[in-house]
Amino acid sequence: MVKAMLPAFSGYGIELEYMIVERESLSVLPIADEVLHKLSGKYVSEVECGRLAWSNELVLHLLELKNAEPEPDIESLAVLFQKEIQHINSELELMGARLMPSAMHPWMNPRNETRLWPHDHAEIYRAYDDIFDCKRHGWANLQSMHFNMPFADDAEFARLHAAIRLLLPVLPALAASSPIVAGYQAGFLDCRLQNYLTHQIKIPSTMGKVIPDTITTRAAYEKQILAPMYQEITTLDPEGILQHEWFNVRGAVARFVRNAIEIRLIDIQECPYADLAIAAVVRDIVHALYHQHTAPFANQQAISTDSLVKILNDCIRDAEQARITDQEYLRLMGCSAPHCEARELWQHLIASVLSEQSVQPWRQALTVILEQGTLARRILRAVDQDFSQARLRIVYRELCDCLHEGRLFLGIN
């Protein structure tokens, strides 16, 4: 068992993205700027609300909720996030709108419905759109949780990066919530990530293979990852608008500006309690890997990126039911079985490396995910092969209610 701790860091950052939709039809509603204006009295990109903040995103139908400063204890954030969602929903109700969870809107047409953020920093979003065409799934139709884990120096960075890299491939097996796109089942439990794999492929150096290669120091990261990326974009971005570390969209990216590694492969869930349950489990298992509880650091670094990519692709398609047959990977995770489902690996990790104390606050959410399936699986079960917009509205209205009330999605009565 391992108690969640790392040396020398200041706290964690959680960023949750939500769609604004019309209250009755549930179609996307591009009014994020009006919501932030209502909160602050002016058109701004961010509004602080105590320990939390609301901010804009690329498109006008998205809002991001996050903790304003790093938090050493994320357990308290679920209640804060939930209260803030209810606050914003009360404001949106007056505007005929509400917030919608899950990682993709089930019938949005990005080509026709996308409106880019037009206010401060709009030049960044215009540059993205000019280069990548953002009126597409993978850009305009996605919602995720970004989880920032801090480090203090190169030694901590190398160990944290290796631990996170090892866990990335199986994140969709816990967090997939996007099984429906354009009104139909697209064949992937995590359609958001399936689109994410290629959304910025026009500049390959910004994505790599999504699973990052092993890296050991900040200097090496800047030379091997950031510098080639900036060089490749130069002809399309001569003014350097996009030449910042946030242009890197691998599944885990170094944010040296705040000494953190940002995990980007987690779909948004039905309520903050479920999101924070996943974040807490990821935090604690990464810490266990960091402290070499299942395998030495050198062995963690040695596994090939291609091996991890194969597991990631399987989990994007099948989520918790993905079959893992890579015995080297399973050994690194402390699992002696020759093969297993991804769900079984998560059960093994939670039982073998986490303490009862760390699991207890999140037991209800983890039990639902591990016994009834990822949110994606539960959504498909509720839809029951009826992909009519009428049925999708019933299911996603229930998801909206779950978000507002802070409860888990268990299907439709």
Side-chain angles (χ1 to χ4, degrees), residues 151 229 240 349 364 366 395 404:
F151 59 87
M229 186 176 78
L349 289 168
Q364 183 184 8
L366 296 176
V395 172
H404 185 73

Side-chain angles (χ1 to χ4, degrees), residues 1-5 167 280-295 300 330-335 345-359:
M1 299 294 182
V2 60
K3 184 177 179 181
M5 60 181 296
L167 195 60
V281 167
V282 169
R283 173 199 62 189
D284 292 351
I285 292 176
V286 166
H287 290 177
L289 296 171
Y290 177 100
H291 287 294
Q292 306 175 80
H293 282 260
T294 62
Q300 293 175 22
L330 291 173
R331 285 195 300 271
L332 289 172
M333 304 301 266
C335 180
L345 178 58
W346 278 108
Q347 290 170 330
H348 161 77
L349 289 168
I350 291 169
S352 63
V353 304
L354 303 190
S355 69
E356 175 66 24
Q357 182 181 4
S358 67
V359 171

Side-chain angles (χ1 to χ4, degrees), residues 256-314:
F256 294 112
V257 69
R258 54 178 180 256
N259 268 30
I261 296 177
E262 180 180 86
I263 300 171
R264 303 171 61 89
L265 298 189
I266 304 175
D267 277 10
I268 203 78
Q269 303 299 298
E270 67 266 47
C271 65
Y273 170 64
D275 292 304
L276 271 294
I278 290 172
V281 167
V282 169
R283 173 199 62 189
D284 292 351
I285 292 176
V286 166
H287 290 177
L289 296 171
Y290 177 100
H291 287 294
Q292 306 175 80
H293 282 260
T294 62
F297 170 53
N299 293 6
Q300 293 175 22
Q301 288 188 309
I303 189 169
S304 75
T305 300
D306 286 340
S307 295
L308 300 178
V309 169
K310 167 65 166 60
I311 298 168
L312 173 65
N313 288 335
D314 290 344

Side-chain angles (χ1 to χ4, degrees), residues 15 22 38 54 64 98 110 134 148 170 182 185 198 235 242 247 273 293 306 336 381 383 394 398 410:
E15 302 165 9
E22 293 179 353
K38 192 171 186 180
W54 289 96
E64 180 183 85
R98 68 190 310 188
C134 296
N148 288 264
V170 293
Q185 182 178 351
T198 57
T235 56
L242 302 180
F247 196 45
Y273 170 64
H293 282 260
D306 286 340
S336 59
R381 193 178 299 132
V383 170
I394 291 171
E398 173 67 11
L410 302 176

Side-chain angles (χ1 to χ4, degrees), residues 46-65:
E46 183 169 302
V47 178
E48 289 198 12
C49 303
R51 289 162 60 189
L52 305 183
W54 289 96
S55 62
N56 76 299
E57 281 293 326
L58 168 75
V59 290
L60 277 173
H61 61 269
L62 279 185
L63 280 172
E64 180 183 85
L65 176 61

Side-chain angles (χ1 to χ4, degrees), residues 145-210:
M145 172 172 70
H146 290 174
F147 183 32
N148 288 264
M149 300 190 70
F151 59 87
D153 53 28
D154 272 357
E156 288 188 14
F157 169 70
R159 289 176 63 183
L160 185 63
H161 190 272
I164 290 173
R165 176 176 176 266
L166 199 59
L167 195 60
L168 286 178
V170 293
L171 291 181
L174 199 64
S177 73
S178 48
I180 300 170
V181 59
Y184 65 93
Q185 182 178 351
F188 301 91
L189 273 290
D190 203 321
C191 289
R192 179 188 75 90
L193 284 185
Q194 181 61 23
N195 282 279
Y196 188 88
L197 294 177
T198 57
H199 79 295
Q200 210 162 288
I201 199 64
K202 187 173 182 179
I203 312 295
S205 62
T206 66
M207 300 197 70
K209 297 178 180 179
V210 177

